[in-house]
Amino acid sequence: VAPHFPPPAAAMAPPPGRERGGNAPTDVHSGAPSDIVLLPLRGQVIFPYIRGSFEIPKKTFEDICDYLERTEATSIGTIAAKPTKKGSSSELYEVGTMCRLISHAAV
């Protein structure tokens, strides 16, 4: 399952009532950024307010780092992928976790 990147900022005109405050426009109902990277994780769940780490493919890591540096964002969304049978595509759970990045490093 590949990460989801929001469309480029030039293609995103914020709707009325949303402004670019800080790093990203926010959803007027939840206060959550509306243009974050959504990273599906297999076999792992990230819980709120728990410091943790996870491993992702190097190419995915580089793509996410490029996006975060380009947009000056400090958060990503994580969502667990449901277990699948061999050969079937992954489905995602409906609820994920907004993560604030403290640091990142390639291993």
Side-chain angles (χ1 to χ4, degrees):
V1 181
H4 167 74
F5 292 93
M12 291 179 48
R18 292 188 188 175
E19 297 178 6
R20 279 207 180 266
N23 296 329
T26 57
D27 183 287
V28 291
H29 299 293
S30 69
S34 61
D35 64 347
I36 62 167
V37 173
L38 182 59
L39 181 63
L41 299 174
R42 289 183 198 205
Q44 189 171 11
V45 177
I46 304 294
F47 291 96
Y49 303 107
I50 307 267
R51 182 179 287 189
S53 62
F54 49 88
E55 292 184 21
I56 57 176
K58 185 175 181 175
K59 175 68 173 133
T60 301
F61 174 78
E62 290 169 351
D63 291 345
I64 291 173
C65 287
D66 288 345
Y67 176 80
L68 295 176
E69 289 171 11
R70 194 173 60 249
T71 63
E72 298 181 4
T74 58
S75 300
I76 63 170
T78 61
I79 192 162
K82 295 179 180 180
T84 61
K85 295 180 182 175
K86 263 192 170 176
S88 63
S89 62
S90 294
E91 288 186 42
L92 302 175
Y93 286 99
E94 294 179 17
V95 176
T97 302
M98 175 71 91
C99 301
R100 182 172 52 96
L101 297 178
I102 296 171
S103 68
H104 61 280
V107 178

